[in-house]
Amino acid sequence: QVQLVESGGGLVQAGGSLRLSCAASTRTFSVYAMGWFRQAPGKEREFVAAISRTGGSTYYADSVKGRFTISRDNAENMVYLQMNSLNPEDTAVYTCAASSFFGPVRPVNDYAYWGQGTQVTVSS
């Protein structure tokens, strides 16, 4: 069982930056690939970024490529999402998730554990 808790969301102006954090409560964090997803009001959950177990491989949605960076610290059981050049279309609840795949993985169904999410709001 893996419990995930996100933090770092908030209100930011367009063009600004935020860093999301996800803390995992498990002794075996390094066996999980990790991902970030987001869901805007009235829209389906969408993939944002993923990182492999070791952190050596990453994968991004086209909409965030070049602006967002996913990283992890296996010693601290943490995964991060650095978000730069934010725009109003990035407004959503951001959720981290853990997958038993080596990773990085994109499909929602490949993730077994989910956090509660943190709200990110970008004003124009």
Side-chain angles (χ1 to χ4, degrees):
Q1 191 77 348
V2 181
Q3 292 186 329
L4 303 170
V5 179
E6 302 92 341
S7 61
L11 174 64
V12 63
Q13 289 188 333
S17 299
L18 280 175
R19 188 194 194 204
L20 304 184
S21 300
C22 174
S25 61
T26 174
R27 296 181 180 178
T28 58
F29 180 66
S30 62
V31 307
Y32 295 98
M34 299 296 295
W36 284 96
F37 292 78
R38 67 186 182 186
Q39 187 167 19
K43 295 187 177 181
E44 293 186 354
R45 178 177 286 173
E46 67 170 344
F47 169 80
V48 175
I51 190 166
S52 63
R53 293 178 181 178
T54 63
S57 297
T58 57
Y59 183 54
Y60 297 92
D62 288 343
S63 59
V64 306
K65 199 174 297 182
R67 300 188 298 124
F68 291 11
T69 303
I70 188 171
S71 61
R72 67 188 295 162
D73 184 339
N74 284 350
E76 298 293 332
N77 285 12
M78 297 290 294
V79 63
Y80 304 99
L81 186 68
Q82 177 66 44
M83 305 186 296
N84 299 327
S85 301
L86 285 161
N87 58 62
E89 290 70 39
D90 295 317
T91 295
V93 174
Y94 285 72
T95 305
C96 69
S99 168
S100 60
F101 283 80
F102 185 87
V105 293
R106 181 185 183 113
V108 170
N109 291 339
D110 285 346
Y111 289 85
Y113 304 102
W114 296 82
Q116 294 298 308
T118 184
Q119 177 70 48
V120 171
T121 303
V122 184
S123 63
S124 57

